């Protein structure tokens, strides 16, 4: 007996499976015939495809959200078991797709939650250390250990410090005014070593501080884009940050957060690329 032609309700129910290429060939042909004559379903399908691509790009640019290998192994095993026992649905090639999809969404959400929580905690700890260095080095020197030159730090601790000898430039122009470098050095606060660049910006001293990222934070590839994020007020200081390969870059100062974001975006690109190659 010939099955009835696809209508809008059927197409929209199967749209995501159609985009994921999970339907039988005959079902795909039925949907394509419907799309030839239905502008509303074509628009709905285009919107779904755009959303899928947007989510995919967002995850590609945020590798810190990747699941651990152990989590991925457990997830695959769970999905295989559920797929074998779930009931089949008309027109879908893989048995139990909707049950599997629900499991995937729940598992990924849980995995991202744990990874995101670790990332937030690590960034907050580093942000407090960055503000402490700004207060106790740039504003009033109260460090137990004398700073050393970036040249000396590069010899002792790695090539990333050499990048900071010339970047950011001594005079950086932003949309809200210039930022002039007053000092460059490497110093230690709370047991953590920083490359420290002190700017005069918007009438205040502002610190740019670079330190190693925590070990549980995944290294970004060099061709990724720097994502400047607001860390919020820490000890009455505005703080923004971005990652560059295995490093965290913080800007801290008693200026408006929007102005600090402007400065960070002005210097982030070249600094990100050079630190990623160091």
């Amino acid at each position: 007996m010939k099955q009835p032609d696809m209508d809008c309700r059927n197409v929209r129910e199967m749209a995501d499976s159609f985009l994921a290429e999970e339907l039988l060939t005959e079902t795909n042909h039925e949907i394509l015939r419907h799309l030839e004559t239905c502008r509303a379903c074509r628009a709905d399908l285009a919107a779904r495809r755009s959303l899928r691509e947007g989510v995919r790009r967002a995850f590609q640019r945020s590798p810190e959200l990747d699941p651990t290998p152990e989590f991925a192994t457990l997830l695959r095993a769970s999905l295989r078991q559920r797929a074998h026992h779930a009931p089949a649905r008309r027109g879908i090639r893989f048995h139990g797709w909707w049950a599997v999809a629900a499991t995937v969404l729940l598992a990924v959400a849980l995995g991202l939650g744990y990874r995101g929580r670790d990332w937030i905690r690590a960034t907050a700890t580093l942000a407090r250390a960055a503000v402490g260095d700004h207060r106790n080095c740039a504003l009033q020197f109260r460090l137990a250990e004398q700073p050393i030159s970036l040249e000396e730090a590069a010899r002792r601790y790695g090539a990333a410090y050499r990048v900071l000898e010339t970047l950011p430039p001594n005079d950086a122009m932003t949309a809200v005014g210039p930022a002039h470098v007053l000092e460059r050095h490497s110093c230690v606060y709370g047991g953590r070593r920083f490359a420290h660049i002190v700017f005069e910006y918007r009438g205040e001293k502002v610190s740019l501080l670079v330190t190693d990222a925590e070990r549980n934070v995944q290294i970004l590839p060099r061709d990724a884009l720097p994502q400047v994020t607001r860390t919020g007020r820490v000890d009455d200081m505005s703080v923004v940050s971005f990652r560059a390969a295995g490093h965290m870059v913080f800007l801290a100062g008693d200026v408006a957060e929007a102005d600090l974001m402007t400065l960070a975006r002005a210097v982030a690109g070249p600094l990100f690329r050079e630190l990623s190659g160091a």
Side-chain angles (χ1 to χ4, degrees):
M1 179 178 179
K2 184 179 181 298
Q3 294 182 346
D5 292 337
M6 285 279 178
D7 58 20
C8 293
R9 182 178 62 83
N10 296 140
V11 170
R12 294 184 184 184
E13 284 181 353
M14 296 187 179
D16 290 317
S17 296
F18 174 77
L19 292 172
E21 300 180 355
E22 291 155 356
L23 300 178
L24 298 173
T25 302
E26 295 81 359
T27 308
N28 282 332
H29 289 167
E30 291 178 35
I31 291 177
L32 289 170
R33 282 195 295 270
H34 178 84
L35 292 174
E36 288 176 357
T37 59
C38 183
R39 178 180 299 178
C41 285
R42 287 200 303 271
D44 177 74
L45 203 68
R48 291 171 187 256
R49 182 179 287 110
S50 177
L51 176 61
R52 291 167 66 94
E53 287 298 308
V55 171
R56 181 182 61 80
R57 286 193 299 269
F59 272 82
Q60 287 176 339
R61 293 173 182 173
S62 301
E64 71 273 8
L65 299 179
D66 288 348
T68 63
E70 295 81 6
F71 177 83
T73 299
L74 290 173
L75 177 61
R76 282 194 295 269
S78 175
L79 293 180
R80 280 196 297 267
Q81 182 179 10
R82 289 175 181 271
H84 286 316
H85 292 90
R89 183 174 182 225
R90 174 183 177 267
I92 298 183
R93 184 181 302 149
F94 298 110
H95 296 300
W97 163 250
W98 294 109
V100 170
T103 305
V104 170
L105 290 174
L106 177 60
V108 169
L110 290 173
L112 295 184
Y114 283 116
R115 295 299 292 272
R117 182 183 62 186
D118 291 343
W119 161 246
I120 292 169
R121 184 185 298 117
T123 302
T125 299
L126 291 180
R128 286 192 294 271
V131 170
D133 200 334
H134 172 66
R135 282 193 175 280
N136 293 284
C137 185
L139 300 186
Q140 183 176 356
F141 188 80
R142 291 180 292 209
L143 298 181
E145 183 178 328
Q146 288 294 320
I148 62 175
S149 69
L150 290 173
E151 181 180 7
E152 179 66 21
R155 285 197 297 268
R156 295 186 189 180
Y157 306 112
Y161 292 92
R162 198 172 306 283
V163 171
L164 278 301
E165 289 186 276
T166 55
L167 287 177
N170 287 333
D171 292 286
M173 183 56 65
T174 77
V176 295
H180 175 69
V181 172
L182 300 175
E183 187 178 353
R184 300 173 189 261
H185 62 254
S186 174
C187 53
V188 176
Y189 176 81
R192 174 170 288 275
R193 180 164 293 279
F194 291 91
H196 190 177
I197 299 174
V198 183
F199 288 98
E200 184 179 6
Y201 175 64
R202 307 295 287 165
E204 300 286 345
K205 285 185 176 179
V206 169
S207 289
L208 183 149
L209 300 120
V210 182
T211 190
D212 292 338
E214 294 294 331
R215 292 181 180 179
N216 63 339
V217 176
Q218 185 173 346
I219 294 176
L220 289 174
R222 187 175 185 179
D223 58 355
L225 296 175
Q227 301 293 319
V228 180
T229 59
R230 294 175 169 86
T231 307
R233 300 285 292 186
V234 178
D235 192 16
D236 289 330
M237 293 287 171
S238 296
V239 184
V240 302
S241 64
F242 62 92
R243 290 173 55 200
H247 308 282
M248 283 297 303
V249 182
F250 292 91
L251 287 91
D254 191 15
V255 297
E257 185 180 67
D259 291 345
L260 203 59
M261 287 288 290
T262 299
L263 176 59
R265 287 169 176 154
V267 303
L271 193 56
F272 177 90
R273 288 190 295 272
E274 293 304 315
L275 284 173
S276 298

